Amino acid sequence: MPDGDTTRQGRTLRTPQALRDAGLLRPDAEADATRVATRFAISVTDHVARLIDPADPADPIARQYIPDAAELTTAPHETDDPTADGPFTPVKGVVHRYPDRALLKPLLACPVYCRFCFRREVVGPDGGLLTEAELDTALAWFEATPAVREAVLTGGDPLMLSPRRLGAMLHRLAAIPHIETLRIHTRVPVAEPSRIDAALLAALDVDKPVFLAVHANHAREFAPPATAAALDRLARTGIPLLGQSVLLRGVNDSAEALEALFRAMLRARVKPYYLHALDPAPGTARFAVPDDQGLALLQSLRGRIPGHAIPTFVRELRAGGGKRPVSHG
Ligand code: SF4
């Protein structure tokens, strides 16, 4: 694997050595990070690297993306498939958990690889791109399943597809009479915003409503002008923007950090939608925040920020039970 590659916006760092050379990994942490890299993918785009303060050992952006020795330890409650997609997969690339909607995972590559990712066992730069035949089978499943009214594109990150391939997929889904809405989950606006160009916007222009769920966990992710401009372009095309975050220790586990995050989303025209409790993927325990603490944090924001700035706090149930609002006790 090369140390880094060149994206439209600069070099993407993909190995511990590249992170060390960029000053984002302490030399004495490289050996452990190299062991982590044998199991979990690493990617830090140039855009994200510029957001990190290398002088701050507790930098909340670095914590999301820089590998750590703690990832080598799997806690007893952690599991390879915490959302249990497997039993709900009727054909490759599709997850059908709720009657009225289904996920389509056209690829498993992302612009960045998050250290807390719930699909960390399967995402990576080499994996998961459906072949044309597999994609055709997946789309045919949507066409043949009239109960499904929303197609949710996730992965991986669907905005890593070429605009041509993404556009063809969206057009075929939009042409299905029983599909009413399309939703795309993505980290691209905050990780590699240069991808939100005219060709991508044209690909998103289909005859059914497209909602974009923007995944971000810290206010600073919205600070770069390139991210603000990308979200502005999306919003001006009429695409509703929803914010999805994960409550992460050391990243956003304070009222101040959450307030700043949700206010940053609103300024970027992104409606805070879900705050997820951490899914117990292997080696992620250092990010866990107790549910009661999460509830108290959100409660503390009531009256402090507008009601529409407060997302719903949810947890994925084990064994594929789906999302449920977190409640006391
Ligand atoms: S962008 Fe999403 S799917 Fe990709 S590594 Fe991060 S959390 Fe996982």
Side-chain angles (χ1 to χ4, degrees):
M1 186 188 289
D3 274 3
D5 59 25
T6 303
T7 69
R8 274 178 277 180
Q9 36 181 87
R11 191 164 178 264
T12 294
L13 308 171
R14 296 192 184 277
T15 65
Q17 185 185 343
L19 293 172
R20 186 203 62 196
D21 291 348
L24 301 179
L25 185 71
R26 292 190 329 272
D28 66 347
E30 187 180 345
D32 280 338
T34 300
R35 291 170 62 208
V36 171
T38 62
R39 182 168 176 190
F40 303 120
I42 294 170
S43 177
V44 179
T45 58
D46 183 58
H47 176 87
V48 166
R50 289 168 193 270
L51 282 176
I52 295 173
D53 176 2
D56 179 2
D59 184 274
I61 308 299
R63 190 166 166 83
Q64 295 183 60
Y65 302 116
I66 305 299
D68 187 280
E71 296 174 51
L72 297 167
T73 303
T74 299
H77 70 287
E78 292 175 342
T79 167
D80 288 1
D81 184 14
T83 57
D85 286 354
F88 298 90
T89 297
V91 299
K92 187 173 179 183
V94 173
V95 179
H96 188 206
R97 200 185 312 278
Y98 303 97
D100 70 330
R101 74 211 93 131
L103 308 183
L104 173 60
K105 300 187 287 187
L107 81 172
L108 293 172
C110 304
V112 283
Y113 293 105
C114 310
R115 309 327 298 167
F116 51 86
C117 176
F118 70 111
R119 293 203 177 110
R120 61 189 331 223
E121 292 285 3
V122 294
V123 295
D126 310 323
L129 179 66
L130 295 184
T131 64
E132 289 295 338
E134 289 167 342
L135 181 62
D136 185 61
T137 300
L139 293 170
W141 180 89
F142 277 87
E143 288 164 344
T145 312
V148 170
R149 298 163 72 163
E150 183 178 54
V152 183
L153 275 65
T154 181
D157 195 317
L159 297 195
M160 295 296 283
L161 293 167
S162 71
R164 181 196 60 76
R165 204 155 192 251
L166 178 66
M169 200 178 302
L170 292 175
H171 276 283
R172 184 160 162 194
L173 287 166
I176 301 173
H178 54 266
I179 295 289
E180 298 172 356
T181 54
L182 306 169
R183 182 167 21 125
I184 301 174
H185 284 251
T186 181
R187 204 107 156 88
V188 161
V190 298
E192 198 174 0
S194 63
R195 283 186 173 272
I196 314 290
D197 59 12
L200 185 75
L201 293 176
L204 297 173
D205 185 9
V206 294
D207 290 337
K208 297 274 173 73
V210 175
F211 293 75
L212 204 74
V214 179
H215 290 224
N217 304 308
H218 194 273
R220 208 196 295 161
E221 293 176 88
F222 290 92
T227 290
L231 291 168
D232 190 63
R233 283 195 292 278
L234 286 162
R236 285 176 193 273
T237 62
I239 296 176
L241 303 174
L242 306 169
Q244 286 223 158
S245 308
V246 184
L247 182 60
L248 298 168
R249 178 167 304 287
V251 175
N252 56 22
D253 59 331
S254 70
E256 293 71 27
L258 289 177
E259 176 179 347
L261 170 61
F262 301 147
R263 286 192 188 279
M265 284 185 174
L266 286 193
R267 287 195 298 275
R269 308 183 200 207
V270 176
K271 158 74 182 103
Y273 170 49
Y274 277 144
L275 177 67
H276 286 261
L278 181 75
D279 293 315
T284 61
R286 69 191 168 115
F287 291 107
V289 178
D291 285 354
D292 281 351
Q293 185 182 340
L295 286 168
L297 285 169
L298 284 180
Q299 186 59 34
S300 74
L301 296 180
R302 295 263 163 220
R304 181 165 157 172
I305 61 176
H308 64 277
I310 298 180
T312 303
F313 185 30
V314 293
R315 171 177 289 289
E316 293 282 346
L317 300 180
R318 303 298 291 270
K323 257 188 279 307
R324 291 287 182 279
V326 177
S327 57
H328 285 289

